[in-house]
Structure formats: structure tokens, C-alpha cells
Amino acid sequence: MEQHVPADLHGVEPPRRHTRLGRSASPYLLGAPAIVWLVVFFVVPLVTMLSLSIQTCDSITLACTLTWHFAEFPNLIGQYGDTFVRSLVYAGAATVAALVVAFPVTYWIAFRAKRKNFFLLMLLVPFFVSFVIRTTAWYTLLADNGAILTKLKILHLVPESFHVLATPLAVIGGLAYNYLPFTALPLYVALERIDRRVMEASHDLYATRRVAFTHVVLPLAVPGIFAAFLLTFVPAAGDYVNAAILGGTNTVMIGQVIQKKFLETADYPAASALSTVLLVLMLVGIAAYAKFLGSRTIEEYV
Amino acid sequence: MSALAQDTSIPSAKDLAPVPRERRRRWTYYTLPVYSSAFFLYLLIPITFMVVYSFNQSHSALPQVTSKWQGFTTQWYQQWNGVPDLTPAFFLSIKLALIATVISATLGTLLALALVRYRFRGKGATEQMMFTNIAAPEIVLGASLLGFFITLNLPRGFSTLLIAHVMFCVAYVTITVRARLSGFDPMLEQAAQDLGATPWVTFWKITLPLIFPGILAGALLAFALSIDDFVTSNFVAGSSVTFPLWVYGAVKVGIPPQVFVLGTAIFSAGLVLAVLALVFQGRAKKARPEPEEG
Amino acid sequence: MTEIDVRLERVSKFFGDVPAVDDLSLDIAEGEFFSLLGPSGCGKTTTLRMIGGFEDPSLGTVYLGGRDVTDLPPYRRDVNTVFQSYALFPHLDVFENVAFGLRRKKVGGKDIGQRVRDAMSLVDLEGFEKRKPSQMSGGQQQRVALARALVNRPKVLLLDEPLGALDLKLRKQMQLELKRIQEEVGITFIYVTHDQEEAMTMSDRLAVMRHGQIEQIGAPELVYESPATEFVAGFLGASNLLDGELVRNQSDVATVRLSTGQDIHFPASKVPSDIDTLVKVGVRPEKISIEVDEGEPPAGANWVSGLLRIATYIGVSHQYKVEGPGGTELTVYVQNLGAEEAPAPGRKVRLTWRPEHTFIVKPSAALSPEEEEE
Amino acid sequence: MTDQQRPGIDPALWRGLTQSRTSRRGFLRAAGVGAGALSLSSILAACGTAGVSTSSAAANGVGSAEWWSQQPETKTLNYANWPYYIDTAHGKHPSIEQFQQSTGITVDYTEPINDNTSFFTKIRPDLQAGNYIGYDVIVLTNSDPPLSEMIGFGWAVPLDQSRMTNFYKYASPLVKDPAWDPGNIHTMAWQSGYTCIGYNTKYITEDITSIQSLFDPKYKGKIGMMGISTELGSAGLLAIGVDPAASTPDDWANAADKLTQQKPLVRSYYDQDYIKALKNEDIWISMVWSGDVFQAANYQGYDTLKAVIPEEGSMFWTDNQLIPVGVENPVAAMEFMDYVYEPPVQALIEDYNAYVCPVPAARSIIANQLKDPTVANSPTVFPDAQMVSRSKPYYQFKNSQDLDQWNSTFQPIYTG
């Protein structure tokens, strides 16, 4: 075979190549429609609204001017501090309840169930029924003279004056029920990922089932638990429909206040300021997640 | 060496009659399945209530849903469109959900492709934005969007509903499709291009068929989110009334049984679609090559 | 056969600031079975992907059949690839996988059927057309990938470690099969591998790459017998290298003086033109004979003394590890003829080889851990 | 509601419930189409515009006798009303058909108003510029700010009093010379309604006669109040014996104290959903809108529900027809606004919507000619003299500080 030695090209500069335009631009071309949509219809409105919290508005003419008026915040926190705390407590209780209720089920689906996809679908099934209808169904079922309480009262299991609606329990229960899929799915993702061999290894190293669970499964599921917590707690803290339908006088949540401020009294600075506080709480949660568990993993669980 | 000696002293398996052994299971083995069944039952309570009470008779001049069972009837199914304004609201929701699903599925798929395939400036920010979008309380989304539309002097109605629905669906679609894409071998696309397929042909012949179950799952999620949305729609609907908005309004005075009929219809359709998607996905998974050891 | 089919002209590829391929020039003749050999990260796959059009060179030009294709996307190049993971389309059956390229070229339906059948018989897979890739074994999938590429009758076939996923036995078999097919179809094959044995078995010529550059290029025998660098010598099989100084370089015999003061002689034609005085001399383990260090060394032969450390019986041969001059470990393979008693460890031994089996190389930088992994 | 009153499905009835007068107050406002819309756009609008009354009717002589005398008699009329508020049969509005036949004026009757504030927002830029907003007549409620803003900013054309013959002849005293528009300079009522007390006679056997019953500890946990600041505040004022229309901020504070003390007794602060709670028997007594209880008791079989106007009085709200500036067909507008005060015409409308009728003379026509005694004999459709005397007007907000103060006094009660 003849040797093909390339001609001596040294001394001539090789032509510099440009990456084909399509290649470098393609992520932008592909992503642009969705990104632009989100920036224009999510980020910009959000920032605009947040800026309202430091504006001053006239409630008849509704003229607002940017006054860098931060005084709204301490006022509102003073006035609605209890409501805020209540919202956080309810959302926290609902989230913990949802976690506790959902964890064994997701564990079962991830580790033991045969038709995983089917049961995952079952978790999502409530989504196919309007959330208003679901909540109304609970309302009807739990009414003071509704199907459930009447029977309990006939059996004298609860006193005649017992009621569930208009109590914190009803609101927390409603929140926990409605946000369950958001709790269950990240949990499932986290548990599904745990390598079965790690479990075997732990048994090999003399771990009982309980020890394997507490020392292997739980720590490995922590990012998922945190993601589930975030995805349940944050929307629940801002929710107002559950409290509006199922709650009563002393179960008012901050979402209801914001809604009233926005839609009834058009008190934009106050509503925006309250929303800002809510958002800040959420961002603190996300930041904490990113700090402790790395920002990469956030997306993996949603 | 002593272990080896011991080993050889054990009679070989052939010499022993097989001992029938049943795997002994402690009662705790059954707690999880039993608990899970109870959990799913609990999840289904309000849905069951809806389906069952869509067959409940009513003797009132103005039939409304109550928890009192008054006898079986299919009357409400025959008169499914008997409530004025509910039917248009229902169809508005269907139309809105369909269009929002198509748009968000398209945009979300494209974004997912960009996120999985490329590293680009702003990728991290995009992912953060998506997460914030998903986690943000709906009331904040709706309220800020309303303010924005008013600022732009955009009349509220179908178009603003559509914008809002795409806005809150697109991140979900992106995440779902991306999950599917990350298991996708990019070599397949290179192979197609190597065999003479242009990027366009490659997308239609290779990429799309393979990620289709992911897109379907994302679209299904988008459809469910859209048709169920109340809070955000509430802010941006203008004078349009969607199904959840109508129901929320009616809930305050008592809802007609037709709401349960239409709710059951949406639920059944969603279930059928989801099961189809499941079957489809199962088949697609079977068609994927098993990773070779080595 | 003298037609140049693929030419790379001063091609570089940077990922960020890191050069994966560094100012590489290469000509490959039509019909040649050419291998790019090197450890992982040497740039061999990147080079292949630039020929295929999957990577754009940062600098330089790629020619196919004399035509500048640097800016052409893969689907406009008359080149096909067999991917490492095969990249068979999971949703299409075998027939449609193989027919994919033909359909893109708008070949008529009848012709497609015929050509697919031909390709399938070429790779010995008649009758598998209706299977899905997932229903086939690794070896069968490999053949489908080959058929899918060959059916398009490309000018050049690129193979990216196509046998990497197969077990050893199947691999050996496929190596022969690939060579047979290549001879049958007469297409230029460019084959990327990190397995030197594989490269030597099949290639007409091979290029050993390191750090994005070609260390040596040539026929397998040449590269094996006369490696140009310490790296090539080490990468292509075991070799024994001794540090020394080039003291005499006359017309017919050259001499290298080892650190022990001993001289090693070899034909002057083996001395590369651009070599310095500090060199390494080497000899392949199978070229060495080993004997107990007694009496006069044979005249005209090169020899060194050492201490036998380990003797290993490996069936076809005996393998000896000897501590040579300056503590260098030397390896010796002795064919198992069953005639002699093997020397026992601990003995002083003498290693002897013929001057023409000696080679001389430039010292290279030490191997990085990733390279050694291979 | 006569000929359509089949059991089961009566579209009109359904509208009455879900899109009723009350639903517009409660649901659509809660639905966020309203106040939100108003404010943000105005933020922008108002940022650049200092004066709002550049197009003031009075400033340009619009609505003066001289102006009216110059207006041509056009043959079209664009009328904007709330949905399901006018008689409808077979897809037509008989009262309008009749008007068109007798006058030759073509009426384009539309139903774009779901909420006072959102509608006001839509028309506001045109009003500000003095443009024709596309409607010659619009209908706004006195208890919400937009009506007083329309009048205050001079955007409501003073009516031609000489063309109000039917009105002066037949209008009920409840809507004549109202507090929100003394002398009916700018408005003529369309329909009215009460915010009163509803209760379930199954649980409450005594006669409820006083608003104090809402504050009675023996109904603890079974009391419903409205979580709407104008309604709740007015109820509080009535309870401390202050006439809301004449109240002062000091009174508000006292009323708020009273309401705050009441809070432990209250099951929940409702908007329109109080009616469901009443029907479910979750609450026994509540602030209600009269129409809801009327419909629940008469059409839905909740016959133990009863609405009463207590001796302290009840808040009385009215939807008002008015002519916006920039009007193109003012004469036709006047004609139609006055036309609906003809008793036979009003009887048609009233029998359809069953709110508080502004024309007492329509009663006998409904009873005798339309043969619908339920509507004719309802005290909430045709209030008797005692009820009229107990009808209380809402407080009229003077300025933004006023409104702010009201809201910040009463809103924390139900949002705290």
C-alpha cells in the first residue's frame, strides 16, 4: 500500500471555521417561544405587581405613584400577622398530613407495587375532576346535617353540636386532600430512584428492615420529601378556595385577604405587599432547598 | 480449607427430597397494601360522590345536589344541557383546554428539547423560572397577570384566559417531556442524519415518535390543569365564564345535578385518555432496546 | 487504490479551550481499511465525528473524494456510520431500520426491498426483517447497524468502536466478518477503536493518536515493529524500554549506550531522523530469549542481564518478569515448546535478542491515569 | 315565571339562581372581573391625567334645557344592562318589541354589565375623553362607587325632566328622589333589592323582628354574616341604631366594635354562599339578599326559610339607568327609560325578574292579567308601606379617604 502522507501544510494557517449558525442558535430558537411566553406573562407581571407594593394609590381615582412607601409592610404585618401565621400553620399542617399520608403509599408503589404506572395514574385521578367540584363534594358530605355527620350523631359517636365545616380541621383537610398529588409525585420520584442494591447492601451489612428504612431509605428520600414539601406548602399557603368553601370565621387565610384586597377594595399596594411577603417566603424555601440539596435536583422532582 | 472440607461433606442437592417451603409472611407484610387501598379509596371519595349523585333524583322545581339520596335516575344525563350558561361554560372550558394544551405541549416540547440537548446561556435561569412558576401560589399568578393585562389595555376574555392557561401549563409539559427526553439516546438522531435525514425529517420520523408518550403525558397534565383551573382563570376571565368558574358561582347557591353529569364526563374522558396513554407508553417502552451488559 | 478518499487538512477541534483534536492532517486512500487507535480521550472519536459531520472543526478542512465538505451537515455527506451503541431506531422494525437511508434518498419501493435483502444477506441476517431491534441479541443488532449503513453504498463507512459492546468471542468473530465484508464491498472503512489487537487484525493502515495528535501512522506491522514513540511502543502491546544515549549513528549500525555502560546495536536505518541523543531502546517481549546468566554472551546479539523476579505459566507461553539494568522491569514471553526447564525466580538471567528486533524511540511524557485505564 | 314553570328544568329559574341579582353582587365581584380591572388601568390612566372632569357634562352645558332642546330624535338606541334582567320569551324581549313598534326606534339591547367596577373600567377611557362609549343608557348600582363617580365626575348627563312623565306618575317612593341622586337629576331606577335577615323557622320558632337577633348568643355558631364591607358595615350601623347614610367615622368605629364582639357567634362571613349554608342548615339565621330567600322558599322547596325586614330597617339597593356623556341618542334614551315605567310594561319585566318593583301599579296587572300571584303578593317584590319606611339607603362615599376609612374599619373583621 502506498503511503499517503499529507502534503506539508505547516506554515499555511488552516482556515478558521465558524460553527454552523443553526447549531449555536438552535437552543434559543427551540426555547424562545416558551421562554418568551413565561417571561412576558409570568415574570414581567410578577415584577410589576411586586412594585405596586411600594406605591401609593388613591382609592377613588385609583391613581398610583411610586413612592417607595415601605410602611405598608410593617402595618400589614401588624394587622395580618395572625392571618399569616395561621396560613403558615394550616399549610404546614396540611403538608405534614399529606406527607405522612402519602409516604407509605408512594413507598408501596415504588418498592412493592406491580403496576406502577397504573397506581401513579390513580394518584393523578383527582385532577380529572374539577377542584371546585371535589371541594364541594367534601362540603356536602361533611355538612352539619350531611351524610357522614348525621350518621355519627345518630350513633352518638359525636355530640349533637359537633361540626367539621367552618373549623380549622376542615380547611387543613381540604388543603391536604387537594394538594396530595403534588406531595405524592416528588416522593415517588425520589423513592423510585433509590437503588435496590443499596437496600440489599444494607441488609447484607446487618441492617434490619427498620434500620434500613431509617438509615437508608429516609436519608435518600430527603430531597424528594423537601421537594414535596415545597410544592405542597407554598401553594397551600396562598390558597383561598379551601378556606372560602370549607372554613369559617376564624379560619381566614392570607389568600382570602389578598383576594379581597385585590378584588373587593382594590387596595393594590396592600394586596401586592401581602403577595410579596408570600413570594418571599416561597423564595426563601427554594433558596434553602438549593443551598442544602443543590439547585440541580430541584427540577428533577417537579 | 476447613470450610471447603465442610462443604464437601454436605450431601448434594440431588440427594435430598425438595422441602416444600412457603414464604412466611408476617402480618406487617400486608399493612402497606391494605393501607394503600384505603388511601386510594379515600382519594376517590369525592369523585365517587360526584358520579353516584349524578344519578340522584330530585323532586324540587330547581334540582340541586344534596347528600340526600332520592332514587336513581338518568334524567340528568338526558337533560345534560338543560342548564343555560352551564353548557356554554362547559364547551368554553373544553375549547380552552384543548387549545391551551396544544400550544403548551408544543412550546413545552421545544423548550424541553433545548434544555436536554444544549447547554446555553440562561439555561439555569430558565429552570429557576420554571420552578418558581410551578411553585408560585396561584393567587399571585392570577393577580399579577390581571394587573398586566389591564396595563396593556387588553380586554379580558378568551385570549387572556388562553395566555394564562398556557403560562401555567408550559412548565409542567416541559418537565414531563424532559423526563422522557433524558432517557433518549441522542445517537438515534445522529444516526438518522447520517442516513440522509434532514433535521426536519429526523424530528418527524425519529424524535417525535420516540418522545411522543412523554408529550402525551405532558399534554394530558396540561389538559387536566387547564380544565380544572379556577383561581387564575377567576382573575383573567373578564366576562367569559369557564366551567369551574360557573360551578364556583353556582356552588354558592347549590349546584344543579348537570354539573355532576358534565364533571363525570370530563373525568371519564380524562381517565380513558390517561389509560390510553399508559398503554401507549407501555408499548413504547417495550420497543426500547434493553441496555446491553458489557 | 491510490485515489485519496478522505483528507483532513490541519483540522482542530476545541471544546471550550481544550483541544480534542489538535492540528491534525490525514489522508486515507479509497478502499482502505483504516483504523484510528488510541486511549480514550485521544480525539479519535472526535476525528471520526468530524468526518461524519457530527462535529464542526474549529479549524481546518475536511475533504471527501476531493470535495470540501467541512460545512456540510451529516445528511448531505456520502458517509455512513456504525455507532458504538448501534443507535437502531427502537420504534421501527429491522427492515425499516435498514431501509431508512434508502427512503431518504427516495429509492423506489422495489429497489428498496431488493437492496435491503442484499444488505441483510451480506450480514447473514436473512429473515429477521420483521423483528424489532429490542428482540435481537447484541451481535445481531450490530449486524443490523452494519447493514443499515452499508445498504446506502456510502463512499466511506465510519465505525465507532462497533464491537465494544460484544463479548470477546463474538468480537473476534465479528472482526473477521467485518474484514470480509469490507473486502467484499470495497468501501473505505474508517474504524475507531482503543483495542490494538482489533486494529491490527483488520487494518490496512492505522494511526495511533494521543492528545489529539497522530503519534504514528502506518501499516500495523510497521507500527508494531518500529514504533516511533515511547507511547506507541507502550500502547501497541507490551514492550521493554531502556534509557540510553545515542552514541554512534553510522551508515549501517547505530549504537545506544545504556546507563550501565553497555552498548545496544541495531541497524542505523531504524534511527528516526529527528531524534535527540537521549533515547529509549526497546524490544518486544516475544523477541527475547532468556537463559541462565552463565558463560559468554553470544556475539552479534544484544543482551542485558537481570534478576528473574516472577515466572508465570500461561499455557501457550511462559511469562517472565525480570529486573533489568537500572531497575527497569522487563517482560519476556517464551513459547511453551515443552523442551526446557523454566528458570526459577531468584536466578540471575541473561536476555538476548537480535539487533534487527531492536527499536529506538523518543521518550514520551508519562501516561495519564485515564489513558492507562484502557 | 308563569308559563315556564315546569318542575325540573326551567332555564329562567336557573338564571335567576346562578346569575341572579345577588350573584352579580357576590359571585362576579368575587370572580375578579371587577375591582381589579378598575384599579390597575386607572393607575396608568391617572398617572398622566391630572383632571378627570375635562368631559364633564355640566361644564359643557350638556343636559341643560337648551342642550336637550337641540337634540334630534334619532331612531336607534343602544342599551347596556345586566344579564337576565328583562322579560324574555322565545328569544325576544316582548317589552322591547312593543317599544320598537310604537316608536319606530330600533333598540340594540345588550347585557355587557356583570359588575359595576369592571364595566366602569371599560368605559372610563372614553368617558374621560368625552367619546361616545357605544351605549346611550347604562345601569349601575347605588351601593358601589362607580355610580357616584359617574355623577361626581360629571359623566352622567342630567336628564330631561320633561320627558319623565311615567316616572313621576308611577314610580315608587323608594326610587323617587333617592339619597344617591337627589331630585333624580341623573338617574331613573331599573330594579331594587333588600339586604335583610333570613332565617330558618324549623330552628328558630320565635318571630325575628330585630337585627339584634343576629347578635343573639343563643344562636352561637349558627349565625351568618356577609363578608362584604359595605354590607357588613351597614348592618353594624343599623345594629347600633345609626342610619348608615348619615353615619360618621365615629359611628363606623362603634359599629365595628359591635361586629367584632359578635364575631365569636358567627359561623362564617359569606358572600353569596350564605344561601347554601342556610339551605344546608349549617346556619339558622343570616344577613341575606331578599331575592335569594324568595326563590329558595318559593321555587326550591326550602319553605321553612323566611326573609324579614327588621324594625331597624334594611339596606335597600337600586340599579339605576343613566345616560353617559358622549351620548348619541339621548332623546330615544329618555323615551325608553321612561317607557319602562308604564305599568303594563313594568309588569312584563317584573314578572320575569321578580326583584323589587319600582312601579307599584304593575302589581295588579301581574295579579290579574298575568295571573302570577306568587310574584304579585310577594312583599319583597311589592313592599308595603311599613317595609318602605324601613328601607335604608347606603352611605355615599365622599372621597377616597372616606372609602379607605370605611374599608379599613370593616374589612379586618372578616379578613382577620
Side-chain angles (χ1 to χ4, degrees), chain B residues 130-165:
Chain B
M130 278 163 43
F131 185 72
T132 313
N133 178 275
I134 284 174
E138 264 204 277
I139 191 163
V140 175
L141 292 184
S144 62
L145 202 51
L146 173 66
F148 180 70
F149 288 146
I150 290 163
T151 307
L152 292 183
N153 207 6
L154 223 68
R156 267 75 64 208
F158 187 78
S159 56
T160 50
L161 275 172
L162 187 61
I163 286 172
H165 281 221

Short mmCIF file of all heavy atoms in Angstrom, two decimals, chain B residues 130-165:
data_model
loop_
_atom_site.label_atom_id
_atom_site.label_comp_id
_atom_site.label_asym_id
_atom_site.label_seq_id
_atom_site.Cartn_x
_atom_site.Cartn_y
_atom_site.Cartn_z
N MET B 130 -38.95 28.27 35.69
CA MET B 130 -39.98 27.24 35.61
C MET B 130 -40.38 26.75 36.99
O MET B 130 -41.56 26.53 37.27
CB MET B 130 -39.47 26.06 34.78
CG MET B 130 -39.60 26.28 33.30
SD MET B 130 -38.56 25.14 32.36
CE MET B 130 -38.82 23.63 33.21
N PHE B 131 -39.40 26.57 37.83
CA PHE B 131 -39.71 26.07 39.17
C PHE B 131 -40.54 27.09 39.94
O PHE B 131 -41.53 26.74 40.59
CB PHE B 131 -38.43 25.72 39.92
CG PHE B 131 -38.72 25.09 41.25
CD1 PHE B 131 -39.21 23.80 41.31
CD2 PHE B 131 -38.55 25.79 42.42
CE1 PHE B 131 -39.50 23.22 42.52
CE2 PHE B 131 -38.84 25.20 43.64
CZ PHE B 131 -39.31 23.91 43.69
N THR B 132 -40.12 28.34 39.85
CA THR B 132 -40.87 29.39 40.52
C THR B 132 -42.30 29.42 40.00
O THR B 132 -43.26 29.55 40.75
CB THR B 132 -40.22 30.76 40.28
OG1 THR B 132 -38.82 30.63 40.51
CG2 THR B 132 -40.77 31.81 41.21
N ASN B 133 -42.43 29.26 38.70
CA ASN B 133 -43.75 29.27 38.08
C ASN B 133 -44.62 28.16 38.65
O ASN B 133 -45.80 28.36 38.94
CB ASN B 133 -43.57 29.11 36.57
CG ASN B 133 -44.87 29.06 35.83
OD1 ASN B 133 -45.48 28.00 35.70
ND2 ASN B 133 -45.33 30.20 35.36
N ILE B 134 -44.03 26.99 38.82
CA ILE B 134 -44.81 25.87 39.32
C ILE B 134 -45.15 26.05 40.79
O ILE B 134 -46.25 25.73 41.23
CB ILE B 134 -44.04 24.56 39.08
CG1 ILE B 134 -44.13 24.19 37.61
CG2 ILE B 134 -44.56 23.45 39.95
CD1 ILE B 134 -43.31 23.01 37.22
N ALA B 135 -44.19 26.58 41.54
CA ALA B 135 -44.41 26.66 42.98
C ALA B 135 -45.21 27.89 43.39
O ALA B 135 -45.80 27.91 44.45
CB ALA B 135 -43.07 26.63 43.70
N ALA B 136 -45.23 28.93 42.54
CA ALA B 136 -45.86 30.19 42.95
C ALA B 136 -47.34 29.99 43.27
O ALA B 136 -48.03 29.26 42.56
CB ALA B 136 -45.72 31.23 41.86
N PRO B 137 -47.81 30.60 44.34
CA PRO B 137 -49.23 30.49 44.65
C PRO B 137 -50.05 31.03 43.48
O PRO B 137 -49.72 32.06 42.91
CB PRO B 137 -49.39 31.38 45.88
CG PRO B 137 -48.04 31.51 46.46
CD PRO B 137 -47.09 31.40 45.33
N GLU B 138 -51.10 30.32 43.17
CA GLU B 138 -51.91 30.68 42.02
C GLU B 138 -52.48 32.09 42.14
O GLU B 138 -52.65 32.78 41.15
CB GLU B 138 -53.05 29.69 41.85
CG GLU B 138 -52.74 28.60 40.86
CD GLU B 138 -54.03 28.04 40.30
OE1 GLU B 138 -54.64 27.16 40.94
OE2 GLU B 138 -54.42 28.49 39.22
N ILE B 139 -52.79 32.47 43.34
CA ILE B 139 -53.40 33.79 43.51
C ILE B 139 -52.43 34.87 43.09
O ILE B 139 -52.81 35.88 42.49
CB ILE B 139 -53.88 34.00 44.97
CG1 ILE B 139 -54.75 35.26 45.04
CG2 ILE B 139 -52.75 34.07 45.95
CD1 ILE B 139 -55.58 35.34 46.30
N VAL B 140 -51.15 34.63 43.31
CA VAL B 140 -50.13 35.60 42.89
C VAL B 140 -50.04 35.61 41.37
O VAL B 140 -49.97 36.68 40.74
CB VAL B 140 -48.78 35.26 43.54
CG1 VAL B 140 -47.69 36.18 43.02
CG2 VAL B 140 -48.87 35.37 45.05
N LEU B 141 -50.07 34.43 40.77
CA LEU B 141 -50.03 34.35 39.30
C LEU B 141 -51.20 35.13 38.69
O LEU B 141 -51.04 35.97 37.81
CB LEU B 141 -50.15 32.90 38.83
CG LEU B 141 -49.01 31.94 39.10
CD1 LEU B 141 -49.32 30.60 38.45
CD2 LEU B 141 -47.72 32.50 38.54
N GLY B 142 -52.39 34.80 39.17
CA GLY B 142 -53.59 35.38 38.60
C GLY B 142 -53.63 36.89 38.80
O GLY B 142 -53.88 37.64 37.85
N ALA B 143 -53.36 37.30 40.00
CA ALA B 143 -53.46 38.72 40.31
C ALA B 143 -52.45 39.53 39.50
O ALA B 143 -52.78 40.57 38.94
CB ALA B 143 -53.24 38.94 41.80
N SER B 144 -51.22 39.02 39.41
CA SER B 144 -50.22 39.80 38.69
C SER B 144 -50.54 39.84 37.20
O SER B 144 -50.36 40.86 36.54
CB SER B 144 -48.83 39.23 38.94
OG SER B 144 -48.76 37.91 38.47
N LEU B 145 -51.06 38.75 36.69
CA LEU B 145 -51.39 38.71 35.27
C LEU B 145 -52.54 39.67 34.96
O LEU B 145 -52.53 40.37 33.94
CB LEU B 145 -51.75 37.28 34.87
CG LEU B 145 -51.64 36.93 33.41
CD1 LEU B 145 -50.28 37.30 32.85
CD2 LEU B 145 -51.87 35.45 33.21
N LEU B 146 -53.51 39.72 35.86
CA LEU B 146 -54.62 40.65 35.65
C LEU B 146 -54.10 42.08 35.58
O LEU B 146 -54.45 42.83 34.66
CB LEU B 146 -55.63 40.51 36.79
CG LEU B 146 -56.76 41.54 36.78
CD1 LEU B 146 -57.64 41.34 35.56
CD2 LEU B 146 -57.58 41.46 38.04
N GLY B 147 -53.25 42.42 36.52
CA GLY B 147 -52.68 43.77 36.51
C GLY B 147 -51.97 44.05 35.20
O GLY B 147 -52.11 45.13 34.62
N PHE B 148 -51.27 43.05 34.72
CA PHE B 148 -50.51 43.20 33.48
C PHE B 148 -51.44 43.43 32.29
O PHE B 148 -51.23 44.32 31.46
CB PHE B 148 -49.68 41.94 33.29
CG PHE B 148 -48.84 41.94 32.06
CD1 PHE B 148 -47.73 42.77 31.95
CD2 PHE B 148 -49.13 41.09 31.01
CE1 PHE B 148 -46.94 42.75 30.82
CE2 PHE B 148 -48.34 41.07 29.87
CZ PHE B 148 -47.24 41.90 29.78
N PHE B 149 -52.51 42.65 32.20
CA PHE B 149 -53.44 42.79 31.09
C PHE B 149 -54.09 44.17 31.09
O PHE B 149 -54.29 44.78 30.05
CB PHE B 149 -54.53 41.72 31.15
CG PHE B 149 -54.04 40.35 30.80
CD1 PHE B 149 -54.57 39.24 31.42
CD2 PHE B 149 -53.04 40.18 29.85
CE1 PHE B 149 -54.11 37.97 31.11
CE2 PHE B 149 -52.58 38.91 29.53
CZ PHE B 149 -53.12 37.81 30.17
N ILE B 150 -54.41 44.61 32.28
CA ILE B 150 -55.04 45.92 32.38
C ILE B 150 -54.06 47.00 31.95
O ILE B 150 -54.41 47.91 31.21
CB ILE B 150 -55.56 46.14 33.80
CG1 ILE B 150 -56.75 45.22 34.04
CG2 ILE B 150 -55.95 47.58 34.01
CD1 ILE B 150 -57.09 45.03 35.48
N THR B 151 -52.83 46.84 32.38
CA THR B 151 -51.81 47.80 31.99
C THR B 151 -51.69 47.87 30.48
O THR B 151 -51.53 48.94 29.90
CB THR B 151 -50.45 47.37 32.60
OG1 THR B 151 -50.63 47.19 33.99
CG2 THR B 151 -49.39 48.41 32.34
N LEU B 152 -51.77 46.71 29.83
CA LEU B 152 -51.67 46.69 28.37
C LEU B 152 -52.99 47.06 27.69
O LEU B 152 -53.07 47.08 26.47
CB LEU B 152 -51.27 45.30 27.90
CG LEU B 152 -49.87 44.84 28.25
CD1 LEU B 152 -49.62 43.47 27.63
CD2 LEU B 152 -48.83 45.82 27.76
N ASN B 153 -54.01 47.25 28.51
CA ASN B 153 -55.33 47.53 27.99
C ASN B 153 -55.85 46.41 27.11
O ASN B 153 -56.47 46.62 26.07
CB ASN B 153 -55.34 48.86 27.23
CG ASN B 153 -56.69 49.50 27.26
OD1 ASN B 153 -57.60 49.00 27.95
ND2 ASN B 153 -56.86 50.57 26.52
N LEU B 154 -55.57 45.19 27.51
CA LEU B 154 -56.02 44.02 26.77
C LEU B 154 -57.38 43.63 27.32
O LEU B 154 -57.49 43.37 28.52
CB LEU B 154 -55.03 42.88 27.03
CG LEU B 154 -54.62 42.04 25.84
CD1 LEU B 154 -53.79 42.87 24.89
CD2 LEU B 154 -53.83 40.85 26.34
N PRO B 155 -58.41 43.59 26.49
CA PRO B 155 -59.72 43.21 27.04
C PRO B 155 -59.68 41.76 27.51
O PRO B 155 -59.15 40.89 26.83
CB PRO B 155 -60.67 43.39 25.86
CG PRO B 155 -59.81 43.43 24.66
CD PRO B 155 -58.45 43.89 25.08
N ARG B 156 -60.21 41.52 28.71
CA ARG B 156 -60.19 40.18 29.26
C ARG B 156 -61.24 39.33 28.58
O ARG B 156 -62.36 39.79 28.31
CB ARG B 156 -60.45 40.19 30.76
CG ARG B 156 -59.19 40.25 31.58
CD ARG B 156 -58.55 41.62 31.58
NE ARG B 156 -59.43 42.59 32.21
CZ ARG B 156 -59.43 43.87 31.91
NH1 ARG B 156 -58.62 44.35 31.00
NH2 ARG B 156 -60.25 44.69 32.52
N GLY B 157 -60.88 38.10 28.33
CA GLY B 157 -61.80 37.17 27.68
C GLY B 157 -61.06 35.92 27.31
O GLY B 157 -60.11 35.54 28.00
N PHE B 158 -61.47 35.32 26.22
CA PHE B 158 -60.88 34.04 25.84
C PHE B 158 -59.38 34.13 25.66
O PHE B 158 -58.63 33.29 26.12
CB PHE B 158 -61.54 33.54 24.56
CG PHE B 158 -61.11 32.16 24.19
CD1 PHE B 158 -61.64 31.06 24.83
CD2 PHE B 158 -60.14 31.97 23.22
CE1 PHE B 158 -61.22 29.79 24.52
CE2 PHE B 158 -59.71 30.69 22.90
CZ PHE B 158 -60.26 29.61 23.54
N SER B 159 -58.93 35.20 24.98
CA SER B 159 -57.50 35.29 24.68
C SER B 159 -56.67 35.41 25.96
O SER B 159 -55.61 34.78 26.08
CB SER B 159 -57.22 36.45 23.75
OG SER B 159 -57.72 37.63 24.32
N THR B 160 -57.16 36.17 26.92
CA THR B 160 -56.38 36.31 28.15
C THR B 160 -56.42 35.00 28.96
O THR B 160 -55.43 34.63 29.58
CB THR B 160 -56.90 37.47 29.02
OG1 THR B 160 -58.30 37.34 29.17
CG2 THR B 160 -56.59 38.79 28.38
N LEU B 161 -57.54 34.31 28.91
CA LEU B 161 -57.61 33.00 29.56
C LEU B 161 -56.58 32.06 28.95
O LEU B 161 -55.86 31.35 29.65
CB LEU B 161 -59.01 32.40 29.38
CG LEU B 161 -60.08 32.81 30.38
CD1 LEU B 161 -61.43 32.28 29.94
CD2 LEU B 161 -59.76 32.27 31.77
N LEU B 162 -56.54 32.10 27.62
CA LEU B 162 -55.63 31.22 26.91
C LEU B 162 -54.18 31.52 27.29
O LEU B 162 -53.38 30.62 27.59
CB LEU B 162 -55.84 31.38 25.40
CG LEU B 162 -55.09 30.41 24.52
CD1 LEU B 162 -55.51 28.98 24.81
CD2 LEU B 162 -55.35 30.73 23.05
N ILE B 163 -53.86 32.79 27.30
CA ILE B 163 -52.50 33.20 27.67
C ILE B 163 -52.16 32.68 29.07
O ILE B 163 -51.11 32.09 29.29
CB ILE B 163 -52.38 34.74 27.63
CG1 ILE B 163 -52.33 35.22 26.18
CG2 ILE B 163 -51.12 35.20 28.38
CD1 ILE B 163 -52.42 36.72 26.03
N ALA B 164 -53.08 32.87 29.98
CA ALA B 164 -52.83 32.45 31.37
C ALA B 164 -52.68 30.94 31.46
O ALA B 164 -51.78 30.43 32.13
CB ALA B 164 -53.96 32.93 32.26
N HIS B 165 -53.55 30.23 30.77
CA HIS B 165 -53.50 28.76 30.88
C HIS B 165 -52.21 28.21 30.30
O HIS B 165 -51.59 27.33 30.88
CB HIS B 165 -54.73 28.15 30.21
CG HIS B 165 -55.96 28.24 31.06
ND1 HIS B 165 -56.87 27.22 31.18
CD2 HIS B 165 -56.41 29.23 31.86
CE1 HIS B 165 -57.84 27.57 32.02
NE2 HIS B 165 -57.58 28.80 32.43
#
